[in-house]
Amino acid sequence: MGDPGDKSTGGLGDGDGSWTLLTGHGHVLVEIARNPEARIRDLSAAAGITERTVQAIVTDLEAAGYITRTRTGRRTRYTVNPDSLFRHSAQGSHRVGPFLALMTAAGDDDPARSGPEDEPSLG
């Protein structure tokens, strides 16, 4: 059992850092909400997963209606659908918008992640 004072997991779990609270899909969706013009490589670096995995996740998120993609020249801009519901039955009655608003606001404390033009595009 992990040390209750271990900050890597908030005192929960085994403390080895082998898991995170959000899935890859959750991380990518939060990063898209933070930066709707992010490139796949930017999303990959922020989420800590491969570009190939991010591309598959973006395809999943779009197919499920969580995001839409708009191409402008060679760039892609994402728009998050804040009215989408969580997929798990335990949270299925909750919309993702408030969660994303909370998670994107949390990034505002880190000057490296935010700026005045970094308002999330939540559709």
Side-chain angles (χ1 to χ4, degrees):
M1 187 87 144
D3 175 7
D6 182 358
K7 303 290 188 240
S8 65
T9 60
L12 301 174
D14 60 3
D16 70 358
S18 63
W19 65 276
T20 62
L21 190 58
L22 295 180
T23 65
H25 285 69
H27 286 291
V28 171
L29 187 59
V30 168
E31 292 306 322
I32 287 172
R34 281 187 179 138
N35 184 2
E37 295 181 356
R39 298 169 299 176
I40 293 294
R41 99 174 36 143
D42 301 328
L43 298 171
S44 171
I49 54 181
T50 67
E51 290 181 28
R52 186 176 191 153
T53 300
V54 169
Q55 184 62 55
I57 288 171
V58 166
T59 298
D60 288 347
L61 292 172
E62 185 176 35
Y66 284 90
I67 62 170
T68 56
R69 290 189 263 193
T70 306
R71 297 279 302 183
T72 304
R74 293 177 45 178
R75 296 301 303 256
T76 300
R77 178 173 177 80
Y78 302 97
T79 303
V80 174
N81 177 3
D83 294 326
S84 295
L85 299 175
F86 280 92
R87 290 173 55 97
H88 194 280
S89 59
Q91 295 85 30
S93 65
H94 297 285
R95 301 189 187 295
V96 299
F99 168 75
L100 292 173
L102 177 68
M103 294 302 293
T104 57
D108 291 344
D109 294 340
D110 181 355
R113 294 188 72 100
S114 64
E117 68 281 348
D118 286 345
E119 291 297 315
S121 174
L122 298 180

